[in-house]
Amino acid sequence: MTLAPPPIASAGTAAPAAVPPAAARQLRATARIAAVAAPSGASRLPVLDGAGPLALRRLASHDGAARVCVVGAMSAPVGGDRLRIEAAAGPGSDLRVTAAAATLALPGHHPGTARYDVALDVADGARLDWLPEPLITAAGSDLIQTTTVDLAASARLVLREEQVLGRAGEDTGRLTARLTVRRAGRVLLDQETAYGPGVPGWDTAAVLAGHRAVGQLLVVDPAYEEEPVPVRVLAAPDGAGEAVVTPLAGPAALVTAVAPDALAVRRLLDAAAIPTGW
Amino acid sequence: MSRAALLVLADGRFPAGGHAHSGGAEAAVAAGRITDAATLEAFCRGRLHTAGLVAAGLAAAAAGGCDPLALDDAADARTPVPALRTVARKLGRQMMRAARATWPSPELDALAAARPKGAHQPVVLGLAARSAGLAPEDAAYAVVYETVSGPATAVVRLLSLDPFDATAVLARLASDLDGVVAEAVAAAEHVPREGIGALPARSAPLLDITAQQHAAWPVRLFAS
Amino acid sequence: MHLDHDLDEKFPHRHTYSAAEPRRPDGTRRAVRIGLGGPVGSGKTATVAALCRALRDELSIAVVTNDIYTREDAEFLLREAVLPPERITAVETGACPHTAIRDDISANLEAVEDLEDTLSTGKGGPLDLILVESGGDNLTATFSKGLVDFQIFVIDVAGGDDIPRKGGPGVTTADLLVINKTDLAPYVGSDLEGMARDAKAQRGELPVAFTAIKSENGVAPVADWVRERLAEWTAGPA
């Protein structure tokens, strides 16, 4: 297949954003998703546990895949919060996760770093699509995000990360985001981005050159072992932003994009159209 | 340990191939992102706190005795674009040649045998420092200095920038260099307990994107 | 890296890492390495192309180019099809071609060793000759002895007939001085006899070849000299 833009259809299921009650400060919540392959071939969701602001919705599926939408029930993460999502695709299963809306990192009532950890596990023969909406770092926010992916040797993965530095016309908050992907016990990709107040050198010609949105799309497929995805340089049609498709040192392709805003980054990631055999 | 050995290792004339590389500066000059001493300084600061920090961590860990092959894998995982992996291995092989002639050691021989086409340059540099009797901190200093002096030298050639201005840029970055070295060395000290994931992995999206673009230029002055 | 003689005694050369080692790891004698230097436009690339055409039927040859702007010279040689592409390698020099052949020869050493490795088992047998062409630079650019066994310096009569008189390391010390484009001498008012006299004064017994490389058999004196060096090299000690 060619990766098409993910369906945003689920937006209608999002609950209206609620104002966090004072008691919700410094909230700790872990949401869990697990998919297994049923004997019929279709994937089921024996575990679908939302927690705190991380509500989970099962979406209708027209094929055998299990589909889940993460619904942000509150504005989070806020300073001091500890949020975590764990998703596991069991052997041979097919799990697709999207989100209803962007994640907005906000300053807390008290200063303090928020944490948002995502732990993904994909077993042999399984496929996971992890396609959330952008993370937006509002002015004054302070967030550490980690995304840790463990892939079995024959697992397949599509993962997108987009970071938008500040809402429109606003300075950015502080963000440190680490993406670590292990495959068959070996680290395939280990990258940290850090932007915002107090991060030296982030807003320079070597890093962003004034761009305010960054995106990555990672596709892991054992088939690339035989036939790596070729390097491709992408330019936005209107000149806003640039991107490159590159093979990693392993069976994976990564699109790296920078652009003035979220929309331009998404366009570049979509334009990458990484070929997969699925 | 001999402090003079650090001067030999960090000398821009150390024959390990660095002179043919601009550290991304040629692409940044062409894009109009480096135009003078001030923009050169900003570029160097950005490179230092991203690619420089990662390289310094790897070098410090290698100098401290961590398994160089595991570090080489860690360098691959931290280098998502093939243009930069190729450059790092090419320079690593050149560094290996110079290091084995300068400070021969069984550890260098073993890495050269295991990676005949070159290990990532910071790993080789760290091991060279170790062979020279230098400390992890020294290896990190050699790396961070090279991280900023490479682009500065290249920009003198590319823009005919006043060499005094370029050198003043390096001097103004001194406290940033100190800070990055301290961070890299502290991270490397965590490796024995926490594993290689403790090493910095800070990335610079534009360095990655433009390095890959630059590699396809038909006419260029620098190899990277 | 060049060491003084008294240093040589205290710190013997480690022959493993430079051109000084005349044997391959398997004990056979490696290809002779000949450098070609000289100012821009004097005819280095033309000489390399002509040498390849003259010698490729009798010798297994490879070429390393050192361009100022990356692959220009390599691409010229490829277009002219003087050798198959796998026998031509370009080294990038970061705007400093003389550094890559003299002060920091590591990239060139990688290139010649890779050619030896990849071509040793292919068609045509082990390499006999590697030509290392420098990027057009200045009169002081010479090759490190760690990189090449012999060097040729190419100048031309149109570049000024006072170049031999002015000397400089290339003119003075090269194993062969080629004075190219003799056919142009009448048009640019160059005094060939005077150049010969000056060259003799600068070089003593070292040979000088006056030639017009692009004319029929113009490269013959240079090709003959290369054959002699190869014979000398093959018969060499150790």
Side-chain angles (χ1 to χ4, degrees):
Chain A
M1 72 159 200
T2 292
L3 281 181
I8 310 179
S10 53
T13 61
V19 177
R25 282 181 218 155
Q26 311 243 322
L27 137 96
R28 279 156 203 272
T30 298
R32 292 187 179 83
I33 307 166
V36 297
S40 66
S43 294
R44 291 189 303 110
L45 292 165
V47 178
L48 192 64
D49 298 337
L54 300 168
L56 303 177
R57 295 286 160 83
R58 189 189 312 257
L59 300 182
S61 185
H62 50 83
D63 51 21
R67 293 171 192 271
V68 175
C69 182
V70 180
V71 180
M74 290 186 284
S75 286
V78 163
D81 287 358
R82 298 272 186 279
L83 304 184
R84 180 175 171 88
I85 301 188
E86 298 172 3
S93 68
D94 187 345
L95 174 61
R96 322 276 175 94
V97 181
T98 55
T103 302
L104 182 62
L106 289 168
H109 301 283
H110 305 286
T113 302
R115 273 198 75 116
Y116 187 18
D117 298 311
V118 175
L120 309 176
D121 189 279
V122 192
D124 269 315
R127 166 184 173 180
L128 171 64
D129 287 11
W130 186 261
L131 298 168
E133 293 302 304
L135 169 68
I136 303 169
T137 57
S141 66
D142 185 2
L143 175 66
I144 295 176
Q145 183 180 25
T146 70
T147 304
T148 311
V149 188
D150 282 286
L151 301 172
S154 61
R156 293 172 297 169
L157 173 77
V158 180
L159 181 146
R160 184 182 60 215
E161 272 197 353
E162 293 156 311
Q163 298 153 348
V164 181
L165 307 181
R167 290 170 291 198
E170 176 187 65
D171 285 342
T172 183
R174 176 156 136 150
L175 171 68
T176 304
R178 184 132 175 185
L179 170 62
T180 307
V181 182
R182 288 183 287 262
R183 178 179 172 271
R186 222 171 143 243
V187 179
L188 179 65
L189 177 65
D190 200 347
Q191 270 200 309
E192 184 179 84
T193 48
Y195 307 118
V199 176
W202 72 274
D203 196 14
T204 62
V207 183
L208 290 179
H211 290 301
R212 283 295 175 267
V214 193
Q216 291 194 312
L217 180 70
L218 172 68
V219 183
V220 184
D221 182 348
Y224 297 156
E225 204 100 64
E226 298 297 318
E227 200 174 334
V229 172
V231 167
R232 226 151 19 102
V233 172
L234 306 170
D238 54 358
E242 41 199 306
V244 65
V245 184
T246 55
L248 298 183
L254 182 73
V255 190
T256 306
V258 295
D261 56 51
L263 190 62
V265 154
R266 178 66 65 87
R267 281 202 190 117
L268 284 164
L269 295 182
D270 289 345
I274 295 177
T276 67
W278 326 331
Chain B
M1 149 200 146
S2 157
R3 180 179 287 175
L6 175 57
L7 297 180
V8 176
L9 180 63
D11 190 337
R13 286 163 296 189
F14 190 71
H19 70 94
H21 297 263
S22 78
E26 184 169 29
V29 166
R33 291 174 181 144
I34 299 178
T35 54
D36 56 14
T39 45
L40 169 65
E41 182 173 340
F43 176 89
C44 286
R45 184 169 279 113
R47 184 168 196 250
L48 171 66
H49 288 280
T50 53
L53 174 63
V54 171
L58 291 165
C66 295
D67 173 15
L69 293 179
L71 291 171
D72 195 47
D73 288 347
D76 260 351
R78 285 160 174 74
T79 317
V81 299
L84 290 177
R85 290 197 295 274
T86 303
V87 164
R89 292 194 179 281
K90 220 169 168 169
L91 284 172
R93 188 174 164 200
Q94 291 174 248
M95 170 63 70
M96 178 62 83
R97 177 187 297 276
R100 289 171 84 190
T102 317
W103 299 290
S105 80
E107 286 179 322
L108 284 170
D109 293 346
L111 180 58
R115 293 280 184 277
K117 293 291 172 195
H120 278 257
Q121 193 262 11
V123 179
V124 182
L125 187 148
L127 208 56
R130 184 174 170 82
S131 299
L134 293 167
E137 186 182 37
D138 300 316
Y141 265 108
V143 165
V144 297
Y145 183 64
E146 182 185 53
T147 299
V148 295
S149 64
T153 308
V155 169
V156 168
R157 294 184 202 166
L158 289 163
L159 287 179
S160 302
L161 187 70
D162 184 333
F164 297 108
D165 290 344
T167 303
V169 163
L170 298 180
R172 282 198 294 276
L173 288 167
S175 67
D176 282 68
L177 296 179
D178 293 336
V180 170
V181 165
E183 194 176 344
V185 170
E189 282 168 359
H190 284 96
V191 170
R193 248 189 352 268
E194 297 169 22
I196 285 196
L199 290 178
R202 192 68 57 85
S203 74
L206 266 178
L207 283 181
D208 288 343
I209 293 169
T210 58
Q212 202 61 59
Q213 293 167 342
H214 180 268
W217 290 9
V219 175
R220 55 182 190 243
L221 280 177
F222 290 88
S224 77
Chain C
M1 190 190 310
H2 180 76
L3 297 176
D4 290 325
H5 287 298
D6 56 333
L7 278 177
D8 282 359
E9 287 161 26
K10 288 177 203 149
F11 301 103
H13 280 296
R14 291 181 55 85
H15 290 308
T16 336
Y17 310 113
S18 74
E21 173 56 59
R23 291 187 178 277
R24 301 186 174 101
D26 68 3
T28 58
R29 208 158 165 82
R30 64 159 171 77
V32 67
R33 298 169 187 170
I34 297 181
L36 288 100
V40 176
S42 62
K44 293 179 299 299
T45 309
T47 306
V48 168
L51 278 174
C52 290
R53 289 194 195 97
L55 298 170
R56 65 191 173 193
D57 293 335
E58 54 188 287
L59 300 175
S60 174
I61 309 174
V63 173
V64 176
T65 64
N66 282 261
D67 270 310
I68 311 181
Y69 312 108
T70 65
R71 303 186 49 88
E72 298 253 307
D73 287 343
E75 270 155 23
F76 172 82
L77 296 172
L78 287 168
R79 266 200 316 279
E80 296 283 301
V82 297
L83 290 176
E86 68 274 15
R87 290 178 176 267
I88 302 171
T89 297
V91 167
E92 296 174 273
T93 61
C96 260
H98 59 270
T99 304
I101 62 163
R102 185 185 59 203
D103 309 280
D104 181 352
I105 57 177
S106 54
N108 271 292
L109 285 172
E110 308 296 347
V112 295
E113 286 175 10
D114 281 348
L115 285 167
E116 286 256 16
D117 286 351
T118 55
L119 296 173
S120 61
T121 53
K123 212 176 84 184
L127 276 177
D128 302 305
L129 170 66
I130 299 178
L131 299 172
V132 183
E133 182 195 341
S134 84
D137 206 340
N138 55 48
L139 294 171
T140 67
T142 53
F143 285 84
S144 164
K145 287 174 184 163
L147 176 60
V148 300
D149 305 301
F150 302 99
Q151 51 191 306
I152 299 173
F153 201 73
V154 183
I155 60 174
D156 70 294
V157 301
D161 59 6
D162 55 348
I163 288 180
R165 182 175 51 75
K166 287 180 177 166
V171 166
T172 312
T173 65
D175 299 291
L176 174 67
L177 177 67
V178 172
I179 300 180
N180 189 20
K181 307 184 191 175
T182 50
D183 50 332
L184 297 183
Y187 306 106
V188 295
S190 283
D191 169 12
L192 292 182
E193 279 175 27
M195 288 180 90
R197 217 169 31 244
D198 292 339
K200 172 83 182 161
Q202 291 283 355
R203 295 173 52 78
E205 293 310 307
L206 287 170
V208 180
F210 281 86
T211 178
I213 291 288
K214 288 200 168 169
S215 66
E216 180 79 19
N217 263 338
V219 80
V222 186
D224 288 344
W225 181 86
V226 168
R227 285 191 191 93
E228 286 167 28
R229 298 292 77 71
L230 181 62
E232 188 182 304
W233 171 256
T234 312

